[in-house]
Amino acid sequence: VTAASERLRALLALNDDLERVANILSWDQETVMPPDGADARAEQRATIERLAHEALVADELAALLEELRDDEAGLEPTSDEASIVRVARRDHEKARRVPAELRAELVREASRGMMAWFEARARSDFSILLPHLERQFELKRRYIDCFEPTGDPYDVLLDDYEEGMTTADVDPVFDVLKRELVPLIDAVRRAEPVDDSCLRGDFPAEQERWLAMHVLEKFGYDPASWRVDLSAHPFASAPSPTDIRITTRFEEVHLGGLFSCMHEFGHGLYERQVSPTLRRTPLATGCSSALHESQSRLWENLVGRGRPFWNHFYPRLQKAFPEQFADVELDVFYRAINKVQPSLIRVDADEVTYNLHIILRYELERELVSGRLALRDLADAFDAKMQEYLGVEPPNAATGVMQDMHWSDGSYGYFPTYSLGNVISVQLWERIRAEISDLDEHIERGDFAVLREWLGEHLHRHGRKFTPAETIERATGSPLDPAPYIRYLKRKVADTSGIAVA
Amino acid sequence: VTAASERLRALLALNDDLERVANILSWDQETVMPPDGADARAEQRATIERLAHEALVADELAALLEELRDDEAGLEPTSDEASIVRVARRDHEKARRVPAELRAELVREASRGMMAWFEARARSDFSILLPHLERQFELKRRYIDCFEPTGDPYDVLLDDYEEGMTTADVDPVFDVLKRELVPLIDAVRRAEPVDDSCLRGDFPAEQERWLAMHVLEKFGYDPASWRVDLSAHPFASAPSPTDIRITTRFEEVHLGGLFSCMHEFGHGLYERQVSPTLRRTPLATGCSSALHESQSRLWENLVGRGRPFWNHFYPRLQKAFPEQFADVELDVFYRAINKVQPSLIRVDADEVTYNLHIILRYELERELVSGRLALRDLADAFDAKMQEYLGVEPPNAATGVMQDMHWSDGSYGYFPTYSLGNVISVQLWERIRAEISDLDEHIERGDFAVLREWLGEHLHRHGRKFTPAETIERATGSPLDPAPYIRYLKRKVADTSGIAVA
């Protein structure tokens, strides 16, 4: 180890410490902070984030990366050492392209936009949000101009979440999803509706928590390195790879809290199983937003909405909520939690229709970025696509174009990663089932060790060592491919809706 | 406001943000962090503390303070502006006297010493701790040498907790305490023992928490800006002046958790009531360790062990623990919680004997620093003084010289502030009672607003604007003076032990 590489590791460790401290500040704010702490917390977070950014763009880091160029050439490219230098260089060069003032303006306008969104949504008045979106879009254009022109300016935005992935990669995937799912949803709509009345009722929080903790413990939750807390919106956070925190909420009128625990467990496990050799480097976290989402969706949907899982856990669910489920057959419950039905709100959508919520947002973002759509026409365009793809008409802007926070804080390019995560989750699932032929039997016994270990070995331990495309190919054996996901959804619909699917 | 003073405020705000973030990391670790997060947390804390220190000793800060010297001369010295520059300059100059390597060594050895203390105490073997104390003492000597020689090298250590206070200030106070309290304790020992059997029994945590929260709410606890959590050792923390967190523990065999809540409330309220105009400056915190302790002791002892308080709260205590207190007269309970009895452990000591635990530690520290006592003889010297002042013989080193953590992490100079806090608390109490003649009636009604406001107005709002000596004089009307405390203790002993006191 040379002095230069040691110093590099120290600077990267500083940056990692600061990023994780920012996570803790944010976790604290969402879960335990007294409300009057908000103003000071905003300043503290801004300070830590500024220092983290300064560490990332530091001239000293630039000089070290230059000095290490020759060393790097002599290293095995997939070694930790070479990968750390490679990824650090990419992060550093990308961060340096954006002037500090523009970055500060983006952060400021993001928080202003979010505040405006709360008010605009409460009043269901898109015109309150519109000027903020317009200002942010101007900044986004300047942001895009900081980078080399690519085939599509949207690629720059996408790259912030899926490094190296472009619209040319996403478009064919989403084309397949749209082509296959729109008629599938049509067919479901024409069929006899599935009875999901058992999912509505009275679900005391204590009971749901008891059940969720049991599931999490079976999944691999360990109180030595995990926590579960309550927050308004569920999330996962990793103050360190051995300190994993997930949040949920138990709303007492449905089982959403249970499924969100499984979802967040998937995010948490990814962070938990990154190789300890990558600690305090920029590689010690999940590879990308889509790969992260593939993990949450795998545990929530492929495990948590599957028959083997419920073969094991259904008796406990009945014990937790006897009045609700004592007289409900497992099969009725299974079909209820897998019911496909077009609906208004993305976050409540089923596995099939969910993707159309995403695709329409992706298409609108593309049109906004290309200039084919003006922001003032966004609300109408949103409603029109909801009608076209899902046959649903938003009654107002609050539950239509403003239902998500993402646009208000300038997170363009993020939505597609949700559906890409779904696609990847089933690519992984097919591969896992091919390699572990008795996976269902493990799950039916409530034993998830084999699944956890497979994911650790083939995906989690690498962290950000490889690009998203490389990571997908390494873990699944093939490039991004929607075919397994389509197969899975058709099988699920046939199984639960009782309709013949081509 | 000049550009220089604006820039100064920005640098001080950076330092304050980092100090408070360090508080949050530490609060999180003590209350909620999963245990396996400890290693990464140690690194994160070291990083934040290093950055805070770098901000404090920065050359840019030195240049600004130099530039602002003329401005400062033209300002009213007690104005916020002048005080901020004055205190920042003092902090900065003091911090710069200590070389970075020495400071790093002190921090490293402190944490090694603490680890050794855990083991040494578990085995009750002082020889495990001794080499660490010797190494730390060498570093302490080098630390002392960083400063101008004063009358006594111990003054340098004391200054870290009580700025500007010296052994010449402390000695006469402790001489009076020792002269008055040793015979007082002797007299108590010869009298009929007070019956405190009602304080031993079964105190379910839920009930004690219910009672403690009720008391805290009456005191002025507000969930918009306060939290209460559990931790192994009670403490108070202020992530910001509007985010005050206290911790306690409910041990179910006594009422210690209730009294520790009152104690920590006192610390918290001090931080809560610092003037908002001092936000994000080095002045936005309590003045010194002794002044902080005066606040915790005021709420714990002068309020919480007083008759007016229990006239109001005793019925609720009986309701919380009916089996324990239904048949116990208030007067019996009052005498029990004020029972004076020499004992082994400082943190469990009563109001009177507590001070002798402190004085003997102070005397031992002085002898160590002067070289009159060698560290290898510390354990024996400790036992001898316990025998001499309290008539108690420690059965082993774990409950003798190693009962406190303070020496193991190098906190010499801190112990005296506990008794100084007691002294100041009664100076304040006499003044408050002189100014608010119906204070007892307020307390008997469970109304603490008038007390809270008096403390805010005369002490809390100033934060660190004045030195400890100035602050004491401003708030109490006189310099540090043990007479009120002695009067108070004698009256208390006469009242509760039923013995005639001169």
Side-chain angles (χ1 to χ4, degrees):
Chain A
V1 184
T2 64
S5 77
E6 218 167 282
R7 181 66 189 145
L8 176 75
R9 289 296 285 262
L11 291 183
L12 297 178
L14 167 65
N15 179 255
D16 186 66
D17 286 345
L18 289 166
E19 299 279 8
R20 305 235 182 218
V21 167
N23 284 352
I24 296 161
L25 296 182
S26 156
W27 175 89
D28 182 273
Q29 177 160 16
E30 302 296 328
T31 57
V32 296
M33 188 185 78
D36 288 357
D39 289 348
R41 180 56 49 88
E43 291 160 344
Q44 291 158 354
R45 285 175 65 173
T47 291
I48 296 297
E49 279 157 22
R50 178 169 63 75
L51 293 174
H53 183 70
E54 284 173 11
L56 185 58
V57 300
D59 290 339
E60 186 188 1
L61 187 60
L64 284 168
L65 289 167
E66 207 41 54
E67 191 181 336
L68 286 165
R69 232 178 247 281
D70 291 344
D71 289 20
E72 192 191 349
L75 293 169
E76 162 61 39
T78 65
S79 68
D80 286 355
E81 294 68 27
S83 303
I84 288 166
V85 178
R86 181 177 65 244
V87 173
R89 176 175 291 119
R90 225 158 51 205
D91 289 351
H92 169 77
E93 288 175 355
K94 183 163 179 179
R96 273 177 79 120
R97 282 177 172 269
V98 183
E101 314 83 69
L102 175 56
R103 188 172 296 274
E105 268 192 88
L106 281 160
V107 170
R108 235 183 342 259
E109 289 299 335
S111 90
R112 286 186 188 142
M114 243 159 46
M115 302 310 281
W117 174 77
F118 281 109
E119 193 197 336
R121 196 178 59 153
R123 303 192 187 188
S124 198
D125 182 353
F126 185 62
S127 73
I128 295 171
L129 185 58
L130 184 57
H132 292 275
L133 297 185
E134 284 173 339
R135 208 149 36 233
Q136 285 177 1
F137 229 83
E138 270 315 298
L139 296 175
K140 279 285 168 189
R141 285 193 196 291
R142 286 169 52 199
Y143 180 79
I144 290 170
D145 289 342
C146 297
F147 297 89
E148 300 293 330
T150 58
D152 188 315
Y154 187 87
D155 292 345
V156 172
L157 305 181
L158 189 57
D159 192 81
D160 285 348
Y161 305 96
E162 298 301 314
E163 197 168 8
M165 205 173 273
T166 67
T167 49
D169 302 309
V170 176
D171 284 347
V173 174
F174 281 8
D175 284 349
V176 171
L177 293 187
K178 197 158 81 168
R179 194 175 63 230
E180 296 278 358
L181 299 183
V182 171
L184 187 62
I185 292 164
D186 263 351
V188 171
R189 208 182 343 222
R190 285 191 306 269
E192 180 74 16
V194 167
D195 175 13
D196 63 349
S197 57
C198 68
L199 298 179
R200 286 182 295 275
D202 184 22
F203 302 90
E206 252 330 294
Q207 292 301 97
E208 192 178 0
R209 185 182 173 85
W210 173 79
L211 180 67
M213 289 311 297
H214 175 75
V215 169
L216 288 174
E217 276 157 25
K218 290 277 181 177
F219 276 5
Y221 169 97
D222 170 3
S225 50
W226 292 73
R227 277 188 68 88
V228 181
D229 294 272
L230 302 177
S231 68
H233 302 283
F235 66 95
S237 178
S240 81
T242 48
D243 178 358
I244 305 294
R245 306 185 184 187
I246 66 177
T247 72
T248 187
R249 57 174 180 169
F250 300 115
E251 300 193 65
E252 310 219 312
V253 292
H254 53 62
L255 288 171
L258 172 65
F259 286 97
S260 95
C261 281
M262 298 196 252
H263 181 101
E264 302 305 335
F265 174 82
H267 286 304
L269 186 67
Y270 197 170
E271 297 290 318
R272 179 73 190 84
Q273 296 202 123
V274 170
S275 167
T277 59
L278 302 176
R279 250 172 42 80
R280 293 181 98 202
T281 78
L283 280 60
T285 186
C287 173
S288 73
S289 297
L291 277 151
H292 240 301
E293 192 71 5
S294 80
Q295 296 309 287
S296 55
R297 299 298 258 180
L298 186 149
W299 289 92
E300 176 192 1
N301 289 335
L302 301 176
V303 173
R305 290 183 206 273
R307 275 189 195 272
F309 176 91
W310 286 108
N311 284 342
H312 181 80
F313 287 103
Y314 195 63
R316 196 169 282 256
L317 178 78
Q318 289 179 307
K319 199 169 155 194
F321 308 107
E323 290 181 26
Q324 195 74 21
F325 294 114
D327 301 328
V328 176
E329 294 289 320
L330 168 54
D331 196 60
V332 171
F333 173 76
Y334 173 69
R335 279 183 283 123
I337 60 170
N338 284 292
K339 181 177 184 176
V340 176
Q341 185 172 40
S343 64
L344 202 55
I345 304 298
R346 174 184 65 85
V347 297
D348 299 332
D350 59 79
E351 283 186 89
V352 178
T353 60
Y354 188 90
N355 301 288
L356 295 174
H357 287 275
I358 294 304
I359 290 170
L360 75 85
R361 283 161 175 76
Y362 171 71
E363 291 174 349
L364 293 171
E365 289 186 351
R366 301 274 317 266
E367 289 176 29
L368 289 171
V369 171
S370 72
R372 290 191 305 274
L373 176 67
L375 279 161
R376 66 177 172 280
D377 300 323
L378 180 61
D380 289 343
F382 184 94
D383 290 353
K385 278 196 191 279
M386 284 292 282
Q387 181 69 57
E388 184 187 347
Y389 296 165
L390 291 163
V392 168
E393 195 169 348
N396 53 47
T399 54
V401 69
M402 291 196 295
Q403 65 177 259
D404 295 305
M405 189 194 278
H406 301 55
W407 287 336
S408 74
D409 71 356
S411 300
Y412 300 94
Y414 184 42
F415 276 125
T417 70
Y418 286 120
S419 275
L420 295 174
N422 290 339
V423 165
I424 298 164
S425 73
V426 186
Q427 286 187 261
L428 284 166
W429 197 242
E430 282 203 351
R431 176 70 170 243
I432 295 166
R433 296 173 70 85
E435 295 194 3
I436 308 169
S437 56
D438 60 348
L439 180 67
D440 284 356
E441 287 75 10
H442 282 267
I443 294 177
E444 276 179 348
R445 287 198 304 273
D447 172 8
F448 298 91
V450 64
L451 175 58
R452 223 163 44 229
E453 281 155 22
W454 192 98
L455 292 168
E457 175 62 23
H458 295 85
L459 174 62
H460 298 169
R461 70 185 172 95
H462 300 308
R464 289 182 64 215
K465 186 178 271 192
F466 306 107
T467 65
E470 289 165 351
T471 302
I472 294 166
E473 184 124 16
R474 277 179 171 265
T476 71
S478 49
L480 186 67
D481 174 11
Y485 187 43
I486 296 294
R487 279 197 289 276
Y488 162 79
L489 289 179
K490 285 183 172 173
R491 214 178 306 122
K492 193 69 152 309
V493 167
D495 187 29
T496 58
S497 308
I499 58 171
V501 173
Chain B
V1 185
T2 63
S5 76
E6 217 166 285
R7 181 64 190 148
L8 176 74
R9 291 295 286 260
L11 291 184
L12 297 178
L14 166 65
N15 179 255
D16 185 66
D17 286 346
L18 289 166
E19 298 279 8
R20 304 231 183 223
V21 167
N23 284 351
I24 296 161
L25 296 182
S26 157
W27 175 88
D28 182 273
Q29 178 159 16
E30 302 297 327
T31 57
V32 296
M33 189 185 77
D36 288 357
D39 289 348
R41 181 56 51 87
E43 291 158 346
Q44 291 158 353
R45 284 174 66 173
T47 291
I48 296 297
E49 279 157 22
R50 178 170 62 77
L51 293 173
H53 183 70
E54 283 174 11
L56 185 59
V57 300
D59 291 338
E60 186 188 0
L61 186 60
L64 285 167
L65 289 167
E66 208 41 53
E67 190 181 338
L68 286 164
R69 232 178 246 282
D70 291 344
D71 289 21
E72 192 191 351
L75 292 169
E76 161 60 39
T78 65
S79 68
D80 286 354
E81 293 68 27
S83 303
I84 288 166
V85 178
R86 181 178 64 245
V87 173
R89 175 176 292 118
R90 225 157 50 204
D91 290 350
H92 169 78
E93 288 175 355
K94 182 162 180 182
R96 273 176 81 120
R97 281 177 173 269
V98 183
E101 315 81 70
L102 175 56
R103 188 173 295 274
E105 267 191 89
L106 281 161
V107 170
R108 235 184 340 260
E109 289 300 335
S111 90
R112 285 185 189 143
M114 244 160 44
M115 302 311 281
W117 173 77
F118 282 110
E119 195 199 335
R121 197 178 57 153
R123 303 193 188 189
S124 196
D125 182 352
F126 185 62
S127 74
I128 295 172
L129 185 58
L130 184 58
H132 292 276
L133 297 185
E134 285 175 338
R135 211 153 30 238
Q136 285 177 3
F137 229 83
E138 270 315 296
L139 297 175
K140 279 285 167 190
R141 286 194 196 289
R142 286 169 52 200
Y143 181 78
I144 290 169
D145 289 342
C146 297
F147 298 89
E148 301 293 330
T150 58
D152 189 314
Y154 187 89
D155 292 345
V156 172
L157 305 180
L158 189 57
D159 192 82
D160 285 349
Y161 304 97
E162 297 301 313
E163 197 167 9
M165 205 172 273
T166 68
T167 50
D169 302 309
V170 176
D171 285 347
V173 174
F174 281 8
D175 285 348
V176 171
L177 293 186
K178 199 159 76 167
R179 194 176 61 230
E180 296 278 358
L181 298 184
V182 171
L184 187 62
I185 292 165
D186 263 350
V188 171
R189 211 185 337 224
R190 286 190 306 270
E192 180 75 15
V194 168
D195 175 12
D196 63 350
S197 57
C198 67
L199 298 180
R200 287 183 294 275
D202 183 24
F203 301 91
E206 251 329 294
Q207 292 302 97
E208 193 178 0
R209 185 183 172 85
W210 173 79
L211 180 67
M213 290 310 298
H214 175 74
V215 169
L216 289 174
E217 276 157 25
K218 289 277 180 176
F219 276 4
Y221 169 97
D222 169 3
S225 51
W226 291 74
R227 276 188 69 87
V228 181
D229 295 271
L230 301 178
S231 67
H233 302 283
F235 65 96
S237 176
S240 81
T242 48
D243 178 357
I244 305 296
R245 304 183 184 189
I246 66 177
T247 72
T248 187
R249 57 175 180 168
F250 300 115
E251 301 191 66
E252 310 220 311
V253 293
H254 54 61
L255 288 171
L258 172 65
F259 286 98
S260 94
C261 281
M262 296 196 252
H263 182 100
E264 302 306 334
F265 174 82
H267 286 304
L269 186 67
Y270 197 172
E271 296 291 317
R272 179 72 190 84
Q273 295 202 127
V274 170
S275 167
T277 58
L278 302 176
R279 250 172 43 79
R280 293 181 98 202
T281 78
L283 281 61
T285 187
C287 173
S288 74
S289 297
L291 278 150
H292 239 299
E293 193 71 5
S294 78
Q295 295 310 286
S296 54
R297 300 297 259 179
L298 187 148
W299 288 90
E300 176 193 1
N301 289 335
L302 301 176
V303 173
R305 291 183 206 273
R307 274 189 195 274
F309 176 90
W310 286 109
N311 285 341
H312 182 81
F313 287 103
Y314 195 62
R316 194 168 284 256
L317 178 78
Q318 290 179 307
K319 198 168 155 194
F321 308 107
E323 291 180 26
Q324 195 73 22
F325 296 114
D327 301 326
V328 176
E329 294 289 321
L330 168 54
D331 196 58
V332 171
F333 174 76
Y334 172 69
R335 278 182 287 124
I337 60 170
N338 284 292
K339 180 177 184 175
V340 176
Q341 185 171 42
S343 64
L344 202 56
I345 304 298
R346 174 184 64 86
V347 297
D348 298 333
D350 59 78
E351 283 185 90
V352 178
T353 60
Y354 188 89
N355 302 288
L356 294 175
H357 288 274
I358 294 305
I359 290 170
L360 74 86
R361 285 162 175 74
Y362 171 71
E363 291 173 349
L364 293 171
E365 290 186 352
R366 300 273 318 265
E367 290 176 29
L368 289 171
V369 171
S370 71
R372 290 191 304 273
L373 177 67
L375 279 160
R376 66 177 172 280
D377 301 323
L378 180 60
D380 289 342
F382 184 93
D383 291 353
K385 278 195 190 278
M386 283 293 282
Q387 181 68 58
E388 183 187 348
Y389 297 165
L390 290 162
V392 169
E393 195 169 349
N396 53 46
T399 54
V401 69
M402 292 196 296
Q403 65 177 260
D404 295 307
M405 189 194 279
H406 301 55
W407 287 335
S408 74
D409 72 355
S411 300
Y412 300 94
Y414 182 43
F415 276 125
T417 70
Y418 287 121
S419 275
L420 296 174
N422 289 340
V423 166
I424 299 164
S425 73
V426 186
Q427 286 187 260
L428 284 166
W429 196 243
E430 281 204 351
R431 176 69 170 245
I432 295 166
R433 295 174 71 85
E435 294 194 3
I436 308 170
S437 56
D438 59 347
L439 180 68
D440 284 355
E441 288 74 11
H442 281 269
I443 294 177
E444 276 180 346
R445 287 199 306 272
D447 172 9
F448 299 90
V450 64
L451 175 58
R452 223 163 44 229
E453 280 156 22
W454 192 97
L455 292 168
E457 175 64 22
H458 295 84
L459 175 62
H460 298 168
R461 70 185 172 96
H462 300 307
R464 290 182 64 216
K465 185 179 271 192
F466 306 109
T467 66
E470 289 166 350
T471 302
I472 293 167
E473 184 126 18
R474 278 180 170 262
T476 72
S478 49
L480 186 66
D481 175 11
Y485 187 43
I486 296 293
R487 278 196 289 274
Y488 162 80
L489 289 179
K490 286 184 172 174
R491 213 180 304 123
K492 192 67 152 313
V493 167
D495 188 29
T496 58
S497 306
I499 59 170
V501 173

